[in-house]
Amino acid sequence: MDLAFIPSPSTGVVHLGPIPLRGYAFCIIIGVFIGVWLGNKRWIQRGGRSGTVADIAVWAVPFGLVGGRLYHVITTYEPYFGEGGHPLNAFKVWEGGLGIWGAVALGALGAWIGCRRRGIPLPAYMDALAPGLALGQAIGRWGNWFNQELYGRATDLPWALKISDDPSIGRVGGTYHPTFLYESLWCIGVALLVIWADKRFKLGHGRAFALYVASYCAGRAWIEYMRVDEAHHILGLRLNVWTALIGLVVSVVYIVVSAKKIPGREEVVEPGALDAAADDTGAGETGAETEKADAAAAKAGTKTAKADAETTKAAPKAVKGAPKAAGSGKGSGAEGPARLTKDAGSGSRSGKDS
């Protein structure tokens, strides 16, 4: 008797009226948004403009979805083009079936087109995006949980995944290794590793992306080995195990060779970004100077208003003292003619007496 296990959803789709809401699609969409968000933050830290990552993702994401589906259909063609297969089912992406190898390959092609249109070096863009890709995969893998797919061998461990029986697709119920969960946790570790290594060693020229590929492939190899779903085998190993091993070797070789040929990190990742930042800084300084001048003018205006108030206050006193002064002047003026008249009369008499 199983004492503990991870339950699977009874259904992977909820209908909102006639509109189906599929858990698999939601996980993919959320993963894309998280990847673009983190990539944008890292791109800005590298000296790029905000929004550039999203602009290029408009090219990369559709290419990645097509590439992921093509890889799955090509490597698992029996349900679509084999005996009793239905070719139109190849377009039913919501039912699951996206190969990460094809998604990364064609997604990189889409990113190259977007970077070329913007004059941006593709390696620098992929370096900024690498941890976000790993986190996006970690979230996207939960879509397999909703579809009850990509599980491992049977087990009775406490964290075993409970799978329901479905004879229509040949699915046998029981408890199995939750390989989707293992890969999700591994991808989170990959994202943290790339962030740490990039900060510690200043990875550039595509080496952060190569580290993401190498570390993901190392985990995917042993996780893939645990799976029990149908797959093509080469020399006794699943096709995806070989793909992971090849990706691991190629990525490690690229890191070593590129570090010798082009060490360090790109100084400029987006043409014009530094000039735009300088313009924004200059505009900010001009605004600060304008505010300072306005404050000085306001201060001068306050002093002028204060002086005018003091002048107005002193004016009544001057007006009050004016009548007194005017009266004194009038009296002096009256006394003046009288005195002159008197003096003139005295002068006449003195002259006559003489």
Side-chain angles (χ1 to χ4, degrees):
M1 180 178 180
D2 298 323
L3 298 179
F5 56 83
I6 301 173
S8 290
S10 58
T11 179
V13 57
V14 177
H15 287 84
L16 184 62
I19 303 175
L21 305 177
R22 302 181 184 277
Y24 185 87
F26 271 111
C27 290
I28 298 296
I29 292 172
I30 295 172
V32 169
F33 274 103
I34 292 297
V36 171
W37 168 78
L38 182 56
N40 183 67
K41 289 178 65 69
R42 286 173 51 80
W43 185 250
I44 294 173
Q45 292 172 356
R46 289 288 301 273
R49 294 178 179 178
S50 176
T52 297
V53 170
D55 292 342
I56 297 176
V58 171
W59 289 90
V61 172
F63 272 74
L65 291 175
V66 172
R69 188 59 174 176
L70 282 176
Y71 181 90
H72 168 75
V73 172
I74 292 172
T75 58
T76 314
Y77 62 87
E78 292 83 0
Y80 313 106
F81 304 104
E83 185 178 354
H86 301 281
L88 292 179
N89 289 344
F91 297 96
K92 297 180 179 179
V93 181
W94 56 87
E95 292 183 354
L98 290 175
I100 184 61
W101 317 111
V104 171
L106 272 193
L109 175 60
W112 175 79
I113 295 174
C115 287
R116 186 176 178 83
R117 291 168 60 90
R118 298 289 292 267
I120 292 172
L122 177 63
Y125 178 82
M126 299 304 287
D127 281 344
L129 201 62
L133 284 175
L135 283 182
Q137 287 178 245
I139 297 172
R141 271 305 174 199
W142 283 86
N144 302 130
W145 178 61
F146 282 98
N147 287 354
Q148 295 194 44
E149 60 185 2
L150 304 188
Y151 45 86
R153 295 188 291 268
T155 181
D156 57 356
L157 291 170
W159 56 86
L161 176 66
K162 181 70 173 180
I163 297 296
S164 61
D165 188 69
D166 190 349
S168 64
I169 59 175
R171 189 172 67 201
V172 180
T175 54
Y176 301 87
H177 277 283
T179 51
F180 84 90
L181 177 60
Y182 298 160
E183 186 170 339
S184 179
L185 295 175
W186 184 270
C187 287
I188 293 175
V190 169
L192 296 176
L193 172 65
V194 173
I195 292 173
W196 171 81
D198 192 28
K199 185 178 296 185
R200 174 67 175 79
F201 301 105
K202 304 296 182 183
L203 301 177
H205 301 284
R207 286 187 286 274
F209 180 77
L211 177 60
Y212 147 73
V213 174
S215 53
Y216 171 75
C217 289
R220 179 63 185 267
W222 67 267
I223 294 172
E224 184 72 22
Y225 188 74
M226 298 178 63
R227 286 169 50 174
V228 295
D229 55 306
E230 293 293 331
H232 295 283
H233 288 71
I234 300 175
L235 300 178
L237 292 178
R238 294 167 64 95
L239 175 61
N240 284 335
V241 174
W242 283 108
T243 305
L245 293 176
I246 293 172
L248 173 61
V249 172
V250 171
S251 299
V252 171
V253 171
Y254 177 83
I255 292 174
V256 174
V257 173
S258 67
K260 292 181 179 180
K261 290 188 175 182
I262 43 175
R265 175 187 281 181
E266 300 92 340
E267 295 182 0
V268 178
V269 297
E270 184 171 3
L274 296 178
D275 295 337
D279 291 342
D280 293 341
T281 302
E285 291 177 353
T286 302
E289 292 176 356
T290 302
E291 291 180 359
K292 186 181 292 185
D294 291 342
K299 186 174 181 180
T302 302
K303 291 182 177 180
T304 302
K306 186 175 181 181
D308 291 342
E310 292 178 353
T311 302
T312 303
K313 185 176 180 181
K317 295 181 178 181
V319 173
K320 185 176 180 181
K324 184 177 181 179
S328 301
K330 184 178 181 180
S332 301
E335 291 175 356
R339 183 173 296 174
L340 289 173
T341 303
K342 183 178 180 180
D343 291 342
S346 300
S348 298
R349 288 194 300 267
S350 300
K352 185 179 180 180
D353 289 343
S354 301

